[in-house]
Amino acid sequence: MSRTTIPRLALRLNSRSSLPVPSRAIEPPCRTLPLLRSQCASHTIRSFSISPQFQKKSNKTNKYADSPPSTSKAGQISPTEEAYDVSGLEIAILRAIEKLTHELGQLRGGSRMNPEIIEELKVQLGTGKEGKETVRLGDIAQVVPRGRMLNIVCGEEDHIKSITSAIASSPHSLTPLTPESVNPLTIQVPLPPPTGETRRAAVESAIKASERADKLIQTARQEHNKRLRKYELNKDVLPDDLQKAKKRMEEVIKKGHTEVKRITDGAKKVLESQ
């Protein structure tokens, strides 16, 4: 090789080595990648694993250590899940509230009356020879409120006398009028004007209905607490779970009493304003 060729080749190599090289091309291999992989794997297991970890069995005298998992068999509810379940308690409270609202709806503090009160009256049909039959007034007549008047629309003319007697003998101090010739099947019942005494009596009845609802809720609490006490005596549920289950029970009971008070206070305001 000639002397002129060597310098040119050297110059060419020097010019190539002097070119800027991107930093990524000369970075060493990522040594932290295995570590990151191990960390990510550990986080994934910790976040999504739902199976219980196997631990060494403790002393046999500790009954809680050998307690079964949350669901020991397919389709079978464990005592722990039953302790947390408050659906039965909520149903009992709902029934108490429904009974309360029904009783409050039957009260009348002024010139208004719930038609259901008249519809629930018992009417005796027939004579002594033919045999008397007791039926519900709402089954043989329709009650239509019109301001301070109730119109009782009878289905048959033969029922007018019996319906009139049932309304007059009711404890609501009502005096039915004789049907007019224009509407021979309609009995008009004027409602008495409101008085302070009727309002106070209605409010007292509302308070008593509220007390009955609270008592039903307390009875439901006692039944639920007996079940938790049974789990505690048999050591079927861990103490921490029992404590949480009792706390949940008390929260449900508190909400029930609060709802009873809210409904009763609203009914009392309506009764007092009539």
Side-chain angles (χ1 to χ4, degrees), residues 15 26 42 47 50 75 106-107 116 143 146-147 153 158 165 184 189-190 195 211 214 225 233 270 272:
S15 61
I26 61 175
S42 62
S47 301
I50 59 175
Q106 303 296 317
L107 298 179
E116 294 181 1
V143 182
R146 294 289 177 84
V153 182
D158 296 338
S165 300
V189 183
T195 61
E211 292 175 352
D214 285 332
N225 195 37
L233 294 177
V270 173
E272 292 172 351

PDB file of all heavy atoms in Angstrom, residues 15 26 42 47 50 75 106-107 116 143 146-147 153 158 165 184 189-190 195 211 214 225 233 270 272:
ATOM      1  N   SER A  15     -12.278  10.755  10.845  1.00  0.00           N
ATOM      2  CA  SER A  15     -13.498  11.546  10.642  1.00  0.00           C
ATOM      3  C   SER A  15     -14.722  10.785  11.109  1.00  0.00           C
ATOM      4  O   SER A  15     -15.661  11.343  11.669  1.00  0.00           O
ATOM      5  CB  SER A  15     -13.619  11.911   9.155  1.00  0.00           C
ATOM      6  OG  SER A  15     -13.705  10.722   8.372  1.00  0.00           O
ATOM      7  N   ILE A  26     -24.711   4.277  23.541  1.00  0.00           N
ATOM      8  CA  ILE A  26     -23.572   3.892  24.375  1.00  0.00           C
ATOM      9  C   ILE A  26     -23.990   3.621  25.811  1.00  0.00           C
ATOM     10  O   ILE A  26     -23.146   3.389  26.663  1.00  0.00           O
ATOM     11  CB  ILE A  26     -22.504   5.011  24.358  1.00  0.00           C
ATOM     12  CG1 ILE A  26     -23.084   6.321  24.928  1.00  0.00           C
ATOM     13  CG2 ILE A  26     -21.975   5.229  22.955  1.00  0.00           C
ATOM     14  CD1 ILE A  26     -22.052   7.409  25.034  1.00  0.00           C
ATOM     15  N   SER A  42     -44.169  -8.497  42.693  1.00  0.00           N
ATOM     16  CA  SER A  42     -44.611  -8.572  44.089  1.00  0.00           C
ATOM     17  C   SER A  42     -45.833  -7.708  44.314  1.00  0.00           C
ATOM     18  O   SER A  42     -46.765  -8.081  45.018  1.00  0.00           O
ATOM     19  CB  SER A  42     -43.477  -8.141  45.026  1.00  0.00           C
ATOM     20  OG  SER A  42     -43.113  -6.790  44.776  1.00  0.00           O
ATOM     21  N   SER A  47     -51.723  -7.106  45.213  1.00  0.00           N
ATOM     22  CA  SER A  47     -52.940  -6.372  44.900  1.00  0.00           C
ATOM     23  C   SER A  47     -54.083  -7.286  44.490  1.00  0.00           C
ATOM     24  O   SER A  47     -55.229  -7.044  44.825  1.00  0.00           O
ATOM     25  CB  SER A  47     -52.668  -5.368  43.773  1.00  0.00           C
ATOM     26  OG  SER A  47     -51.648  -4.475  44.161  1.00  0.00           O
ATOM     27  N   ILE A  50     -56.467 -13.030  46.244  1.00  0.00           N
ATOM     28  CA  ILE A  50     -57.600 -13.072  47.177  1.00  0.00           C
ATOM     29  C   ILE A  50     -57.644 -14.371  47.960  1.00  0.00           C
ATOM     30  O   ILE A  50     -58.468 -14.535  48.839  1.00  0.00           O
ATOM     31  CB  ILE A  50     -58.927 -12.913  46.416  1.00  0.00           C
ATOM     32  CG1 ILE A  50     -59.065 -14.030  45.380  1.00  0.00           C
ATOM     33  CG2 ILE A  50     -59.050 -11.558  45.760  1.00  0.00           C
ATOM     34  CD1 ILE A  50     -60.407 -14.031  44.668  1.00  0.00           C
ATOM     35  N   GLY A  75     -71.779 -22.610  48.060  1.00  0.00           N
ATOM     36  CA  GLY A  75     -73.177 -22.325  48.324  1.00  0.00           C
ATOM     37  C   GLY A  75     -73.552 -22.281  49.786  1.00  0.00           C
ATOM     38  O   GLY A  75     -74.724 -22.097  50.105  1.00  0.00           O
ATOM     39  N   GLN A 106    -104.420   6.993  59.389  1.00  0.00           N
ATOM     40  CA  GLN A 106    -105.785   6.835  59.876  1.00  0.00           C
ATOM     41  C   GLN A 106    -106.208   7.945  60.832  1.00  0.00           C
ATOM     42  O   GLN A 106    -107.387   8.050  61.172  1.00  0.00           O
ATOM     43  CB  GLN A 106    -105.921   5.488  60.602  1.00  0.00           C
ATOM     44  CG  GLN A 106    -105.555   4.284  59.762  1.00  0.00           C
ATOM     45  CD  GLN A 106    -106.474   4.093  58.575  1.00  0.00           C
ATOM     46  OE1 GLN A 106    -107.679   4.227  58.678  1.00  0.00           O
ATOM     47  NE2 GLN A 106    -105.889   3.796  57.419  1.00  0.00           N
ATOM     48  N   LEU A 107    -105.279   8.773  61.241  1.00  0.00           N
ATOM     49  CA  LEU A 107    -105.602   9.811  62.219  1.00  0.00           C
ATOM     50  C   LEU A 107    -106.241  11.015  61.527  1.00  0.00           C
ATOM     51  O   LEU A 107    -105.958  11.312  60.372  1.00  0.00           O
ATOM     52  CB  LEU A 107    -104.334  10.245  62.965  1.00  0.00           C
ATOM     53  CG  LEU A 107    -103.631   9.160  63.773  1.00  0.00           C
ATOM     54  CD1 LEU A 107    -102.377   9.711  64.428  1.00  0.00           C
ATOM     55  CD2 LEU A 107    -104.555   8.575  64.836  1.00  0.00           C
ATOM     56  N   GLU A 116    -109.947   5.647  53.817  1.00  0.00           N
ATOM     57  CA  GLU A 116    -109.737   4.266  54.239  1.00  0.00           C
ATOM     58  C   GLU A 116    -110.367   3.986  55.593  1.00  0.00           C
ATOM     59  O   GLU A 116    -110.725   2.840  55.883  1.00  0.00           O
ATOM     60  CB  GLU A 116    -108.232   3.964  54.286  1.00  0.00           C
ATOM     61  CG  GLU A 116    -107.548   3.993  52.928  1.00  0.00           C
ATOM     62  CD  GLU A 116    -106.082   3.658  53.013  1.00  0.00           C
ATOM     63  OE1 GLU A 116    -105.615   3.387  54.155  1.00  0.00           O
ATOM     64  OE2 GLU A 116    -105.400   3.654  51.982  1.00  0.00           O
ATOM     65  N   VAL A 143    -116.067   5.361  48.642  1.00  0.00           N
ATOM     66  CA  VAL A 143    -115.969   6.569  49.458  1.00  0.00           C
ATOM     67  C   VAL A 143    -115.239   7.634  48.657  1.00  0.00           C
ATOM     68  O   VAL A 143    -114.092   7.443  48.252  1.00  0.00           O
ATOM     69  CB  VAL A 143    -115.244   6.287  50.787  1.00  0.00           C
ATOM     70  CG1 VAL A 143    -115.191   7.546  51.642  1.00  0.00           C
ATOM     71  CG2 VAL A 143    -115.915   5.145  51.536  1.00  0.00           C
ATOM     72  N   ARG A 146    -115.066  14.998  49.363  1.00  0.00           N
ATOM     73  CA  ARG A 146    -115.338  16.274  48.693  1.00  0.00           C
ATOM     74  C   ARG A 146    -115.264  17.395  49.724  1.00  0.00           C
ATOM     75  O   ARG A 146    -116.268  17.763  50.319  1.00  0.00           O
ATOM     76  CB  ARG A 146    -116.733  16.245  48.035  1.00  0.00           C
ATOM     77  CG  ARG A 146    -116.885  15.269  46.896  1.00  0.00           C
ATOM     78  CD  ARG A 146    -116.108  15.717  45.670  1.00  0.00           C
ATOM     79  NE  ARG A 146    -116.187  14.746  44.580  1.00  0.00           N
ATOM     80  CZ  ARG A 146    -117.189  14.685  43.698  1.00  0.00           C
ATOM     81  NH1 ARG A 146    -118.191  15.535  43.794  1.00  0.00           N
ATOM     82  NH2 ARG A 146    -117.172  13.789  42.736  1.00  0.00           N
ATOM     83  N   GLY A 147    -114.063  17.909  49.945  1.00  0.00           N
ATOM     84  CA  GLY A 147    -113.890  18.969  50.932  1.00  0.00           C
ATOM     85  C   GLY A 147    -114.226  18.467  52.325  1.00  0.00           C
ATOM     86  O   GLY A 147    -113.630  17.516  52.824  1.00  0.00           O
ATOM     87  N   VAL A 153    -120.989   6.215  47.881  1.00  0.00           N
ATOM     88  CA  VAL A 153    -121.751   5.748  46.729  1.00  0.00           C
ATOM     89  C   VAL A 153    -121.978   4.244  46.875  1.00  0.00           C
ATOM     90  O   VAL A 153    -121.034   3.452  46.791  1.00  0.00           O
ATOM     91  CB  VAL A 153    -121.019   6.069  45.417  1.00  0.00           C
ATOM     92  CG1 VAL A 153    -121.857   5.626  44.217  1.00  0.00           C
ATOM     93  CG2 VAL A 153    -120.688   7.545  45.327  1.00  0.00           C
ATOM     94  N   ASP A 158    -130.434  -1.681  48.570  1.00  0.00           N
ATOM     95  CA  ASP A 158    -130.703  -2.440  49.792  1.00  0.00           C
ATOM     96  C   ASP A 158    -129.597  -2.271  50.832  1.00  0.00           C
ATOM     97  O   ASP A 158    -129.809  -2.587  52.012  1.00  0.00           O
ATOM     98  CB  ASP A 158    -130.871  -3.927  49.458  1.00  0.00           C
ATOM     99  CG  ASP A 158    -132.076  -4.186  48.561  1.00  0.00           C
ATOM    100  OD1 ASP A 158    -132.985  -3.317  48.550  1.00  0.00           O
ATOM    101  OD2 ASP A 158    -132.103  -5.222  47.862  1.00  0.00           O
ATOM    102  N   SER A 165    -126.194   2.790  59.176  1.00  0.00           N
ATOM    103  CA  SER A 165    -126.082   2.367  60.581  1.00  0.00           C
ATOM    104  C   SER A 165    -124.625   2.146  60.973  1.00  0.00           C
ATOM    105  O   SER A 165    -124.209   2.496  62.084  1.00  0.00           O
ATOM    106  CB  SER A 165    -126.890   1.086  60.795  1.00  0.00           C
ATOM    107  OG  SER A 165    -128.246   1.289  60.486  1.00  0.00           O
ATOM    108  N   PRO A 184    -130.067   8.797  44.666  1.00  0.00           N
ATOM    109  CA  PRO A 184    -130.616   7.903  45.687  1.00  0.00           C
ATOM    110  C   PRO A 184    -129.623   6.885  46.241  1.00  0.00           C
ATOM    111  O   PRO A 184    -129.860   6.304  47.307  1.00  0.00           O
ATOM    112  CB  PRO A 184    -131.770   7.204  44.950  1.00  0.00           C
ATOM    113  CG  PRO A 184    -131.395   7.268  43.512  1.00  0.00           C
ATOM    114  CD  PRO A 184    -130.642   8.552  43.343  1.00  0.00           C
ATOM    115  N   VAL A 189    -121.902  12.416  54.113  1.00  0.00           N
ATOM    116  CA  VAL A 189    -121.474  12.413  55.513  1.00  0.00           C
ATOM    117  C   VAL A 189    -120.674  13.686  55.765  1.00  0.00           C
ATOM    118  O   VAL A 189    -119.509  13.783  55.342  1.00  0.00           O
ATOM    119  CB  VAL A 189    -120.624  11.174  55.843  1.00  0.00           C
ATOM    120  CG1 VAL A 189    -120.243  11.161  57.319  1.00  0.00           C
ATOM    121  CG2 VAL A 189    -121.361   9.896  55.460  1.00  0.00           C
ATOM    122  N   PRO A 190    -121.265  14.688  56.422  1.00  0.00           N
ATOM    123  CA  PRO A 190    -120.493  15.911  56.728  1.00  0.00           C
ATOM    124  C   PRO A 190    -119.482  15.651  57.835  1.00  0.00           C
ATOM    125  O   PRO A 190    -119.747  14.930  58.805  1.00  0.00           O
ATOM    126  CB  PRO A 190    -121.578  16.893  57.175  1.00  0.00           C
ATOM    127  CG  PRO A 190    -122.693  16.040  57.656  1.00  0.00           C
ATOM    128  CD  PRO A 190    -122.664  14.768  56.848  1.00  0.00           C
ATOM    129  N   THR A 195    -111.482  20.900  66.248  1.00  0.00           N
ATOM    130  CA  THR A 195    -111.399  21.534  67.566  1.00  0.00           C
ATOM    131  C   THR A 195    -110.027  21.275  68.145  1.00  0.00           C
ATOM    132  O   THR A 195    -109.277  20.395  67.684  1.00  0.00           O
ATOM    133  CB  THR A 195    -112.478  20.981  68.505  1.00  0.00           C
ATOM    134  OG1 THR A 195    -112.269  19.560  68.675  1.00  0.00           O
ATOM    135  CG2 THR A 195    -113.875  21.212  67.936  1.00  0.00           C
ATOM    136  N   GLU A 211     -94.192   5.366  69.429  1.00  0.00           N
ATOM    137  CA  GLU A 211     -93.612   4.531  70.491  1.00  0.00           C
ATOM    138  C   GLU A 211     -93.739   3.053  70.159  1.00  0.00           C
ATOM    139  O   GLU A 211     -92.826   2.268  70.440  1.00  0.00           O
ATOM    140  CB  GLU A 211     -94.304   4.850  71.812  1.00  0.00           C
ATOM    141  CG  GLU A 211     -94.008   6.257  72.341  1.00  0.00           C
ATOM    142  CD  GLU A 211     -94.810   6.585  73.595  1.00  0.00           C
ATOM    143  OE1 GLU A 211     -95.700   5.764  73.957  1.00  0.00           O
ATOM    144  OE2 GLU A 211     -94.566   7.642  74.199  1.00  0.00           O
ATOM    145  N   ASP A 214     -91.021   2.269  67.614  1.00  0.00           N
ATOM    146  CA  ASP A 214     -89.708   2.172  68.260  1.00  0.00           C
ATOM    147  C   ASP A 214     -89.566   0.864  69.022  1.00  0.00           C
ATOM    148  O   ASP A 214     -88.492   0.247  69.052  1.00  0.00           O
ATOM    149  CB  ASP A 214     -89.503   3.357  69.198  1.00  0.00           C
ATOM    150  CG  ASP A 214     -89.209   4.648  68.449  1.00  0.00           C
ATOM    151  OD1 ASP A 214     -88.650   4.574  67.338  1.00  0.00           O
ATOM    152  OD2 ASP A 214     -89.542   5.736  68.977  1.00  0.00           O
ATOM    153  N   ASN A 225     -79.337  -9.396  68.150  1.00  0.00           N
ATOM    154  CA  ASN A 225     -78.240  -9.454  69.119  1.00  0.00           C
ATOM    155  C   ASN A 225     -78.122 -10.852  69.735  1.00  0.00           C
ATOM    156  O   ASN A 225     -77.016 -11.295  70.075  1.00  0.00           O
ATOM    157  CB  ASN A 225     -78.461  -8.410  70.215  1.00  0.00           C
ATOM    158  CG  ASN A 225     -77.211  -8.168  71.038  1.00  0.00           C
ATOM    159  OD1 ASN A 225     -76.099  -8.178  70.499  1.00  0.00           O
ATOM    160  ND2 ASN A 225     -77.377  -7.954  72.324  1.00  0.00           N
ATOM    161  N   LEU A 233     -70.640 -17.120  71.995  1.00  0.00           N
ATOM    162  CA  LEU A 233     -70.505 -18.213  72.956  1.00  0.00           C
ATOM    163  C   LEU A 233     -69.907 -19.454  72.307  1.00  0.00           C
ATOM    164  O   LEU A 233     -69.091 -20.152  72.916  1.00  0.00           O
ATOM    165  CB  LEU A 233     -71.866 -18.543  73.567  1.00  0.00           C
ATOM    166  CG  LEU A 233     -72.484 -17.447  74.454  1.00  0.00           C
ATOM    167  CD1 LEU A 233     -73.866 -17.866  74.928  1.00  0.00           C
ATOM    168  CD2 LEU A 233     -71.580 -17.142  75.654  1.00  0.00           C
ATOM    169  N   VAL A 270     -98.762  18.184  60.466  1.00  0.00           N
ATOM    170  CA  VAL A 270     -99.962  18.171  59.617  1.00  0.00           C
ATOM    171  C   VAL A 270    -101.213  18.133  60.487  1.00  0.00           C
ATOM    172  O   VAL A 270    -102.192  18.836  60.228  1.00  0.00           O
ATOM    173  CB  VAL A 270     -99.913  16.965  58.653  1.00  0.00           C
ATOM    174  CG1 VAL A 270    -101.216  16.850  57.892  1.00  0.00           C
ATOM    175  CG2 VAL A 270     -98.756  17.125  57.686  1.00  0.00           C
ATOM    176  N   GLU A 272    -101.623  19.148  63.561  1.00  0.00           N
ATOM    177  CA  GLU A 272    -101.806  20.386  64.300  1.00  0.00           C
ATOM    178  C   GLU A 272    -102.263  21.542  63.416  1.00  0.00           C
ATOM    179  O   GLU A 272    -102.879  22.492  63.883  1.00  0.00           O
ATOM    180  CB  GLU A 272    -100.494  20.775  65.002  1.00  0.00           C
ATOM    181  CG  GLU A 272    -100.121  19.828  66.130  1.00  0.00           C
ATOM    182  CD  GLU A 272     -98.736  20.119  66.677  1.00  0.00           C
ATOM    183  OE1 GLU A 272     -98.026  20.941  66.045  1.00  0.00           O
ATOM    184  OE2 GLU A 272     -98.352  19.537  67.712  1.00  0.00           O
TER     185      GLU A 272
END
